[in-house]
Amino acid sequence: MSALPRAPSAKAASGREAMPDDQLMLAYAQGDGAAFDLLYARHEGALFRFVKRLLGTRLAAQADEVFQDTWVRIITARESFSPQGATWRTWAFTIAHNLAMDRLRVSGREVALDAHADDADDAVPLLDRGVRGAAADVAAHPSAEELAFWRAAGRRLLACLDELPPEQRAAFLLHHEDGLTVEALAASLQIGFETVRSRLRYGLQKLRACMSRYLAVLEQGT
């Protein structure tokens, strides 16, 4: 009778916890299943939120399937992953982006983008800090009124994101929530730098108009 596999030692588990994502993926490609478990635990929540917000309300029911398809693609491509390119997180989110955009195209929801950006408005609105970042000022001792305001603002922001064309919504989420630079976005999505800038600018302009009621309150406090 063969011996049961031993659980990894505390020392091995501790060392794995300290490994960056890229190294975890390489370890997983070499057969370390626990490395994959850690990658999944680190990014499960953020990746699912990204997929769900990108698909929007109408296709929200498909978020679970796209999320699972993303991880299947990650698993399938484990041996071809190279840390010399994009980081693992950027690579994984790009996979999720492409799968979600395929669903949106099939659904017929894609909206054509305007051809040129409006250079007259170069300022990044308060949305650049995010509703959550602005709310941090009152997080220590929030009043009931403040809590109600931020909850309403959060719901409104999600509704405003849902109204954006998919390409603009994806650019906003990857840039402002996941932290990808414009250069990284252009490289990952294989589109031009100026195209990315245009999508971000149009998306921000539309979000600013959609969130104007809440942004007016924020601007009064700055």
Side-chain angles (χ1 to χ4, degrees), residues 14-105:
S14 176
R16 195 181 286 111
E17 287 281 351
M19 292 171 66
D21 295 336
D22 293 353
Q23 295 303 311
L24 285 173
M25 187 65 181
L26 293 176
Y28 171 55
Q30 296 299 316
D32 185 352
F36 175 82
D37 292 341
L38 183 53
L39 269 176
Y40 187 88
R42 282 182 183 177
H43 301 285
E44 174 189 10
L47 197 56
F48 182 76
R49 284 193 300 272
F50 171 72
V51 168
K52 188 172 182 179
R53 291 178 181 179
L54 182 51
L55 289 175
T57 303
R58 183 177 173 185
L59 297 184
Q62 299 186 34
D64 282 328
E65 188 175 350
V66 173
F67 174 73
Q68 294 299 331
D69 286 349
T70 298
W71 286 103
V72 169
R73 292 286 183 89
I74 290 171
I75 291 169
T76 303
R78 61 189 180 277
E79 294 182 358
S80 63
F81 172 74
S82 172
Q84 296 177 353
T87 64
W88 183 89
R89 186 180 174 94
T90 297
W91 177 73
F93 272 71
T94 301
I95 291 174
H97 166 272
N98 293 339
L99 289 172
M101 293 301 288
D102 285 345
R103 294 298 180 98
L104 290 167
R105 292 186 184 100

Side-chain angles (χ1 to χ4, degrees), residues 170-185:
F172 177 87
L173 291 172
L174 286 169
H175 181 59
H176 291 276
E177 292 202 6
D178 197 48
L180 268 67
T181 64
V182 176
E183 292 83 356
L185 269 172

Side-chain angles (χ1 to χ4, degrees), residues 112-134:
L113 295 175
D114 296 319
H116 304 286
D118 181 3
D119 292 330
D121 185 6
D122 235 339
V124 176
L126 289 176
L127 283 169
D128 187 36
R129 297 205 305 261
V131 170
R132 288 169 298 177

